């Protein structure tokens, strides 16, 4: 055997060993002990990776398990290690997440939330202050917020990683508004998040390392109902009737479409619609080819609020006023 042939054999052997090597501890998906079938484990692995779930229409994977529908049947399994702000009605002084909801994929839970930079954790309770003192304390909050993305183990609640992008967003809390309305998505091993100041983040879903990020100046000036969605390799960002498409691999803006909502609030969210082997995007009753950024068709329905359409199989169901 000549030297070049030997090098090829050795290279092939190294490649084969790499392909056959077991997953690292960070990559390995761990399953709850009660998941006994392959269908159970597949549903756990896929999880709920985006706002509208694995199918893009708000339905779960039918894997043979019963769905728990009442709080009486639920039990607390764990609480996260990190303090994640919650929404507290009637108390504008507390840090609140708005409508930032968690997503889950490969046995990990992900959530984005804004946190006012330098916010005092030992702040006095508003009830203990008179009105002028409370107003002064609230105005002392830093005018910038950190964008925070946290990943926790879905089995234990232990923090896997946490990323803090310092002072990336305008603070909304000091003005009495709630925090951002941004829900992440996980796709092809990447976690996508939107910040409160037009920042877009693409992170490695396993390690939390930055793959790409950019401040695209989308025009968002307040809490938008932006739910991250990847369709046909395109990351969708939406804000009050305006839809942007970005290359999910690089972050390059591919297209933007405006004027998608006329009679509705800006609360509609982009939905994934898988039909006939294609991945399309629904923005209310407008169907869009995500790769080309082209509106395929649109139905004019009279509506006063967003998210009044649902897709299932080949059918789109919608209602209006």
């Amino acid at each position: 055997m000549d030297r070049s042939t030997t090098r090829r054999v050795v290279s092939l052997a190294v490649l084969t060993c790499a392909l056959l090597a077991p997953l690292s501890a960070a990559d390995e998906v761990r399953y709850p002990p009660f998941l006994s079938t392959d269908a159970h484990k597949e549903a756990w692995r896929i999880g709920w990776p985006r706002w509208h779930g694995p199918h893009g229409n708000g339905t779960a994977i039918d894997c043979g398990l019963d769905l728990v529908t009442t709080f009486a049947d639920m039990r607390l399994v764990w609480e996260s290690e990190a303090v994640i702000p919650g929404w507290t009605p009637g108390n504008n002084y507390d840090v609140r997440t708005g409508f930032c909801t968690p997503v889950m994929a490969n046995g990990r839970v992900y959530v984005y939330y804004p946190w006012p930079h330098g916010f005092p954790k030992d702040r006095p309770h508003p009830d203990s202050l008179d009105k002028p003192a409370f107003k002064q304390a609230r105005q002392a909050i830093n005018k910038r917020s950190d964008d925070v993305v946290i990943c926790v183990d879905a089995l234990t609640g232990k923090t896997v990683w946490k990323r803090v992008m310092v002072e990336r967003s305008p603070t909304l809390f000091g003005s009495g508004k709630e925090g951002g309305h941004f829900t992440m998505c996980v796709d092809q091993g990447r976690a996508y998040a939107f910040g409160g100041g037009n920042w877009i983040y693409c992170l490695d879903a396993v390690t939390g390392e930055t793959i790409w990020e950019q401040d695209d100046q989308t025009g968002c000036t307040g809490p938008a109902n932006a739910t991250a969605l990847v369709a046909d390799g395109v990351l969708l960002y939406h804000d009050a009737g305006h839809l942007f498409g970005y290359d999910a691999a690089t972050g390059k803006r591919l297209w933007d479409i405006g004027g998608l909502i006329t009679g509705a609030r800006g609360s509609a969210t982009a939905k994934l619609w898988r039909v006939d082997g294609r991945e399309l995007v629904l923005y209310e009753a407008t169907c869009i080819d995500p790769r080309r950024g082209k509106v395929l068709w649109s139905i004019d329905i009279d509506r006063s609020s967003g998210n009044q359409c649902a897709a299932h199989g080949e059918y789109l169901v919608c209602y209006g006023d």
Side-chain angles (χ1 to χ4, degrees):
M1 184 181 296
D2 60 32
R3 185 171 299 177
S4 62
T5 302
T6 302
R7 282 198 297 267
R8 287 197 298 270
V9 172
V10 172
S11 299
L12 180 61
V14 171
L15 177 61
T16 303
C17 290
L19 293 175
L20 295 178
L23 293 172
S24 68
D27 293 324
E28 184 180 1
V29 179
R30 298 186 300 116
Y31 302 95
F34 58 82
L35 299 184
S36 57
T37 70
D38 290 341
H40 294 168
K41 294 179 179 179
E42 179 72 358
W44 171 268
R45 185 187 65 79
I46 296 174
W48 195 271
R50 64 184 71 87
W51 169 253
H52 292 287
H55 302 301
N57 60 4
T59 61
I61 295 175
D62 185 4
C63 64
L65 290 175
D66 294 331
L67 186 66
V68 177
T69 57
T70 64
F71 282 105
D73 297 329
M74 299 180 185
R75 63 184 179 87
L76 179 64
V77 178
W78 51 258
E79 295 181 3
S80 63
E81 296 176 304
V83 177
I84 299 175
W87 188 72
T88 53
N91 189 350
N92 291 330
Y93 189 67
D94 277 354
V95 177
R96 303 183 294 169
T97 59
F99 298 98
C100 300
T101 58
V103 295
M104 176 182 166
N106 294 306
R108 298 179 181 90
V109 177
Y110 303 82
V111 66
Y112 158 86
Y113 59 89
W115 187 273
H117 185 73
F119 192 88
K121 296 181 180 179
D122 57 347
R123 66 195 186 283
H125 192 276
D127 292 343
S128 66
L129 301 174
D130 57 26
K131 190 170 182 179
F134 172 67
K135 183 177 180 180
Q136 182 180 10
R138 191 172 66 179
Q139 290 176 342
I141 299 175
N142 193 303
K143 299 305 180 184
R144 302 292 295 174
S145 278
D146 300 336
D147 287 332
V148 183
V149 178
I150 190 169
C151 170
V152 304
D153 189 302
L155 288 178
T156 65
K158 301 293 184 182
T159 300
V160 178
W161 52 260
K162 181 180 180 180
R163 290 292 310 279
V164 179
M165 281 63 79
V166 178
E167 296 191 273
R168 289 286 181 87
S169 300
T171 292
L172 303 173
F173 308 98
S175 61
K177 301 177 181 179
E178 71 260 13
H181 295 194
F182 307 103
T183 295
M184 299 177 58
C185 79
V186 180
D187 184 84
Q188 301 294 319
R190 298 182 174 192
Y192 297 91
F194 301 139
N198 295 322
W199 279 92
I200 303 174
Y201 306 104
C202 174
L203 309 177
D204 186 294
V206 175
T207 66
E209 295 299 316
T210 298
I211 297 175
W212 57 261
E213 64 177 28
Q214 64 157 295
D215 182 5
D216 192 58
Q217 297 299 322
T218 59
C220 173
T221 56
N225 296 297
T227 57
L229 170 68
V230 175
D232 198 13
V234 178
L235 173 66
L236 283 300
Y237 179 100
H238 52 86
D239 177 32
H242 207 108
L243 196 65
F244 301 86
Y246 300 87
D247 188 304
T250 65
K252 177 183 178 182
R253 187 195 284 194
L254 302 176
W255 48 262
D256 63 271
I257 303 172
L260 293 176
I261 289 185
T262 55
R265 296 182 299 131
S267 59
T269 58
K271 302 178 180 67
L272 178 66
W273 192 9
R274 290 193 178 101
V275 59
D276 294 334
R278 302 177 65 187
E279 287 191 345
L280 303 174
V281 172
L282 285 172
Y283 194 83
E284 279 295 273
T286 299
C287 184
I288 298 167
D289 181 333
R291 176 51 56 182
R292 296 184 295 162
K294 180 181 179 181
V295 174
L296 301 179
W297 48 261
S298 183
I299 301 172
D300 186 16
I301 58 174
D302 186 16
R303 57 207 186 277
S304 59
S305 63
N307 294 316
Q308 297 187 156
C309 297
H312 182 72
E314 297 181 352
Y315 295 94
L316 173 67
V317 181
C318 50
Y319 71 93
D321 297 334

